[in-house]
């Protein structure tokens, strides 16, 4: 009886722990939503020495993957490198993408982005900054999400996922890379 009671208590404690840990953060536009224009400061892309630009506008109806991050962590850099390779392999389908670091201090973020681009040899995805941590107006970037990944084609969202701090790991990166098929088919 005592063993069964202990097993029951352990099961309840484990269930409560898993329920809290498994709670995903909703961040970004919902699937099926239209993607509005917004402007970023280009750090490593074709307009790196120019004014702000709108990659949403530039890429038009192409298949696009975008990472919104509060900071360029090792995990975000790893995801960026993986998606950079996917974009390179799918240039024939006009796949594109860009990374947006949501930053209060854009100059400080830019220094980090330049280093990451050079160290990781990121060549396809421009690394950009957006002034402020709230993200572009109307994009529904959850302030609790450290990373938000959105993919769209023909201006319509196909994938939108938010990640809490520590959730962007090797398994999550593989899952995101696999989801690029949704904008390439």
């Amino acid at each position: 009886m005592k063993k069964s009671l202990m097993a029951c208590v352990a099961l309840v404690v484990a269930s409560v722990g898993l329920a809290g840990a498994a709670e995903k953060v909703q961040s970004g536009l919902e699937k099926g939503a239209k993607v509005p224009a917004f402007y970023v400061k280009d750090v490593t892309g074709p307009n790196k020495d120019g004014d702000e630009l709108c990659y949403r506008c530039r890429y038009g109806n192409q298949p696009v993957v975008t990472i919104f991050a509060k900071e360029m962590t090792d995990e975000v850099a790893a995801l960026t490198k993986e998606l950079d390779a996917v974009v390179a392999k799918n240039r024939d389908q006009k796949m594109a993408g860009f990374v947006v670091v949501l930053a209060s201090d854009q100059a400080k973020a830019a220094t980090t982005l330049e280093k990451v681009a050079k160290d990781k040899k990121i060549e396809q995805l421009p690394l950009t900054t957006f002034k402020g941590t709230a993200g572009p107006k109307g994009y529904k970037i959850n302030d609790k999400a450290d990373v938000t990944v959105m993919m769209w084609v023909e201006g319509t969202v196909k994938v939108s996922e938010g990640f809490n701090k520590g959730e962007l790991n090797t398994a999550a990166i593989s899952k995101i890379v696999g989801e690029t098929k949704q904008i390439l088919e």
Side-chain angles (χ1 to χ4, degrees):
M1 173 80 170
K2 197 173 191 178
K3 284 184 183 180
S4 159
L5 179 61
M6 293 294 277
C8 221
V9 169
L11 184 61
V12 169
V13 170
S15 297
V16 170
L18 286 174
E23 191 173 320
K24 288 288 290 174
V25 63
Q26 174 59 44
S27 186
L29 296 170
E30 294 178 16
K31 290 179 185 177
K34 289 294 183 186
V35 183
F38 71 99
Y39 290 81
V40 293
K41 179 72 177 157
D42 201 343
V43 176
T44 67
N47 202 38
K48 67 181 176 183
D49 296 321
D51 294 327
E52 291 186 340
L53 78 153
C54 174
Y55 275 110
R56 165 61 186 105
C57 305
R58 178 174 280 207
Y59 293 145
N61 288 331
Q62 293 174 241
V64 178
V65 59
T66 304
I67 302 168
F68 294 92
K70 289 187 178 173
E71 63 180 309
M72 180 55 79
T73 62
D74 290 342
E75 295 79 14
V76 174
L79 173 60
T80 301
K81 182 63 180 169
E82 291 287 329
L83 291 174
D84 194 64
V86 173
V87 169
K89 288 179 189 170
N90 291 286
R91 277 296 187 197
D92 60 326
Q93 293 186 50
K94 299 191 184 318
M95 185 179 187
F98 58 107
V99 177
V100 181
V101 173
L102 308 172
S104 300
D105 185 344
Q106 287 181 292
K108 182 179 177 185
T111 302
T112 302
L113 295 178
E114 288 169 344
K115 182 176 177 357
V116 167
K118 182 180 176 190
D119 292 349
K120 299 285 185 185
K121 296 180 175 68
I122 296 168
E123 299 170 350
Q124 303 298 317
L125 297 179
L127 305 183
T128 71
T129 61
F130 181 86
K131 187 166 178 74
T133 57
K137 185 176 180 169
Y139 268 71
K140 301 180 181 179
I141 304 296
N142 189 321
D143 63 344
K144 293 178 181 160
D146 272 9
V147 179
T148 302
V149 178
M150 292 176 42
M151 298 180 208
W152 61 79
V153 66
E154 296 182 10
T156 302
V157 175
K158 301 295 181 185
V159 175
S160 183
E161 292 200 36
F163 296 91
N164 291 310
K165 191 166 194 72
E167 287 183 339
L168 188 62
N169 54 32
T170 305
I173 291 170
S174 292
K175 181 178 182 280
I176 291 167
V177 169
E179 288 179 331
T180 59
K181 292 176 185 168
Q182 293 185 47
I183 60 171
L184 294 169
E185 299 177 321

